[in-house]
Amino acid sequence: MALVTGGSRGIGLACARLLADSGHSVAVTYRETKPPEEGFLAVQADVRDAAACEAVFSEVERELGPVGVLVANAGITRDSLVLRMGEDAWADVLDTDLTGAWRYAKRAAASMVRARYGRIVFVGSVVGLSGAAGQANYAAAKAGLVGLSRALARELASRQVTVNVVAPGAVDTELLAQVGQKRVAEIVASVPMGRMAGAEEVAGAVAFLASPQAGYITGTVLGVDGGLGMGH
Ligand code: NDP
């Protein structure tokens, strides 16, 4: 079965839909927004809460069996320039985007190692490699995912568990809408393909890395960014 954190909307929901189309039974977590009724097991859990993480795994394992695919997608932004950034904005983003992902990956890895099979996909960002003014907390968290995934990839490789990062550029979701139309227009102008991605285009990359066909790909960062990052 496949577990997607933050699967109530945006990229997470698109991943859940595509993984279900690929034949997985799917569970999604969410913080506040209930996902649409589409046959997924939906569990409310804040990724910052360690006890809730344990409860999520107990419930999905009981209902759907062991987690063979984890998509650690839940993420937030709290943008401001470093000189104005408060401790809470820094901690909130690191706790959600990096520590939350580590928590779910750690728990998923335990059963994947036993099964001698697994796919962990972290949803990072092009910003984790390029940086972005006003997003030091987010860039640090997303860069952290790259190091986390590569360390974990090395730890789990002999058990045929792969660990990878998908790094989207600008994706048309509520998260990006928060930055405002003017900023979105500036970002899009810098994208070689001249447009945002649809969430389903990111999901396509996630579903590929989660598939049996991607069994020899581990420790990679796959950009889905219309050429914005060009591999960096
Ligand atoms: P959305 O804001 O549309 O969705 C975010 C999802 O994460 C929601 O399901 C939300 O749940 C959930 N979530 C947020 N905080 C928590 C939490 N503490 N615990 C559990 N769930 C939580 O964002 P996107 O779909 O755009 O983003 C998904 C991922 O993609 C993020 O990691 C983001 O950083 C990354 N990304 C997005 C890009 C973009 O341009 N949109 C570009 C690059 C990366 P709820 O609805 O209940 O709040």
Side-chain angles (χ1 to χ4, degrees), residues 6 8-9 11 31-33 46-47 73 124 138 142 169 171 173:
S8 57
R9 55 195 163 91
I11 293 168
R31 181 182 45 174
E32 289 161 355
T33 320
D46 192 316
V47 291
N73 162 78
Y138 185 70
K142 296 300 189 181
V171 189
T173 69

Side-chain angles (χ1 to χ4, degrees), residues 135-148:
Q135 292 196 308
N137 49 0
Y138 185 70
K142 296 300 189 181
L145 288 179
V146 176
L148 165 62

Side-chain angles (χ1 to χ4, degrees), residues 39-209:
F40 312 132
L41 174 63
V43 189
Q44 184 178 21
D46 192 316
V47 291
R48 293 170 297 181
D49 182 338
C53 171
E54 201 46 56
V56 166
F57 276 86
S58 298
E59 183 172 348
V60 302
E61 285 169 353
R62 189 175 62 245
E63 298 292 327
L64 302 175
V67 175
V69 174
L70 172 71
V71 183
N73 162 78
I76 57 165
T77 52
R78 283 187 63 179
D79 296 354
S80 73
L81 296 171
V82 168
L83 295 184
R84 291 192 206 127
M85 187 176 287
E87 293 274 344
D88 56 338
W90 174 266
D92 208 12
V93 171
L94 270 289
D95 287 351
T96 305
D97 295 24
L98 180 57
T99 309
W102 163 80
R103 178 171 292 123
Y104 277 71
K106 177 184 171 179
R107 180 58 181 78
S111 55
M112 290 175 179
V113 163
R114 278 195 296 278
R116 299 275 195 278
Y117 181 89
R119 298 278 184 268
I120 297 175
V121 183
F122 294 106
V123 180
S125 169
V126 67
V127 164
L129 299 177
S130 66
Q135 292 196 308
N137 49 0
Y138 185 70
K142 296 300 189 181
L145 288 179
V146 176
L148 165 62
S149 71
R150 288 181 169 158
L152 196 53
R154 289 181 186 278
E155 291 184 17
L156 303 181
S158 66
R159 312 301 166 95
Q160 310 311 313
V161 177
T162 67
V163 187
N164 294 289
V165 173
V166 165
V171 189
D172 189 8
T173 69
E174 288 172 44
L175 182 136
L176 193 65
Q178 283 170 20
V179 308
Q181 276 186 351
K182 186 168 168 278
R183 182 70 191 122
V184 170
E186 285 167 9
I187 295 168
V188 168
S190 66
V191 177
M193 291 189 81
R195 65 173 178 86
M196 288 189 277
E200 66 289 346
E201 292 178 295
V202 180
V206 170
F208 167 64
L209 289 172

